[in-house]
Amino acid sequence: DAKTTQPTSMDCAEGRAANLPCNHSTISGNEYVYWYRQIHSQGPQYIIHGLKNNETNEMASLIITEDRKSSTLILPHATLRDTAVYYCIVRLHNNDMRFGAGTRLTVKP
Amino acid sequence: DTGVSQDPRHKITKRGQNVTFRCDPISEHNRLYWYRQTLGQGPEFLTYFQNEAQLEKSRLLSDRFSAERPKGSFSTLEIQRTEQGDSAMYLCASSLRGQGSTEAFFGQGTRLTVV
């Protein structure tokens, strides 16, 4: 599976959009981009995934560049409860997931 | 609640003792994964099952570790002769292998402390 690069930490003001970047320059054509988050002392929580097209669900939006070498997770209106570590993962269909260190997002009032 | 349950939530054991953790996946899920997570790190893959077959094991899974999934339902992870370095959160996840990509759902984890 391709490796990913994420910033170590980010801050965001409550109510503003949080934009979390991820680089995956070695992604192959059949690898998906997944995002999970982990709130302190809990198991990782699935957020969203995509292959080529941008995706949106009730939690977030995923923007994947045309060359698929990077993506951005967007939390449109961040709340204090969105403070967590966010993991970007690329993986083949149905393969196990390999986590990096993620981005620690802190939402501030 | 994701539907994946792990037991116990916390375990304190003395060095050298054996411990066993249990994971009950979402009932229709045929894939089950085990991960280990230490403080400040992302989860590290240990092993996964497709039904009852163990398909892949990480090099992290030393010979003191063994995982089973009898009958393709719940799974157990046993650590023999525990060491202080085994102290970590042990996470279980399950997913449904089928057409299209599917997300994995994680349990709350078992936190092991070896003293």
Side-chain angles (χ1 to χ4, degrees):
Chain A
D1 291 346
K3 290 186 66 174
T4 62
T5 305
Q6 298 178 253
T8 303
S9 63
M10 292 181 63
D11 291 342
C12 177
E14 187 179 18
R16 303 296 295 269
N19 297 288
L20 291 93
C22 180
N23 286 324
H24 31 79
S25 58
T26 60
I27 192 170
S28 64
N30 54 354
E31 286 183 313
Y32 289 78
V33 179
Y34 279 75
W35 283 84
Y36 279 75
R37 73 179 182 184
Q38 189 172 25
I39 296 169
H40 182 61
S41 297
Q42 297 183 20
Q45 176 190 23
Y46 166 80
I47 301 173
I48 199 167
H49 74 277
L51 183 62
K52 295 180 182 178
N53 299 322
N54 298 337
E55 303 287 344
T56 295
N57 63 19
E58 65 278 5
M59 288 183 68
S61 295
L62 173 60
I63 308 299
I64 303 174
T65 58
E66 194 168 340
D67 63 7
R68 300 203 336 115
K69 292 185 177 182
S70 65
S71 60
T72 301
L73 178 75
I74 301 172
L75 308 178
H77 305 287
T79 71
L80 298 179
R81 287 176 295 181
D82 292 322
T83 292
V85 178
Y86 287 77
Y87 297 100
C88 169
I89 302 159
V90 292
R91 69 161 172 146
L92 290 169
H93 165 53
N94 278 317
N95 268 19
D96 59 271
M97 292 173 296
R98 307 295 167 115
F99 289 78
T103 296
R104 181 171 298 278
L105 175 69
T106 303
V107 181
K108 298 186 174 182
Chain B
D1 182 8
T2 63
V4 178
S5 61
Q6 293 188 243
D7 183 69
R9 292 292 308 279
H10 303 275
K11 178 71 177 178
I12 300 174
T13 191
K14 291 184 178 179
R15 189 174 51 186
Q17 297 294 305
N18 299 343
V19 293
T20 300
F21 311 138
R22 177 179 170 122
C23 172
D24 286 274
I26 294 172
S27 59
E28 63 269 27
H29 283 186
N30 49 16
R31 283 213 167 180
L32 187 147
Y33 311 81
W34 284 100
Y35 288 81
R36 181 177 72 184
Q37 186 174 26
T38 53
L39 199 62
Q41 303 297 315
E44 298 172 292
F45 170 75
L46 292 179
T47 187
Y48 84 90
F49 293 83
Q50 169 92 6
N51 299 313
E52 66 274 11
Q54 189 172 17
L55 296 187
E56 188 176 351
K57 292 194 290 187
S58 161
R59 283 174 290 181
L60 292 174
L61 214 64
S62 75
D63 56 6
R64 296 185 298 105
F65 288 69
S66 63
E68 294 182 342
R69 193 183 182 197
K71 303 176 183 178
S73 55
F74 70 92
S75 175
T76 57
L77 178 68
E78 181 184 16
I79 308 175
Q80 295 182 325
R81 305 181 302 282
T82 52
E83 302 172 355
Q84 286 189 322
D86 298 330
S87 294
M89 174 79 85
Y90 290 84
L91 293 160
C92 173
S94 71
S95 69
L96 181 64
R97 186 182 191 281
Q99 297 299 321
S101 67
T102 58
E103 62 270 29
F105 295 89
F106 282 81
Q108 297 292 346
T110 294
R111 182 168 297 283
L112 173 67
T113 303
V114 182
V115 297

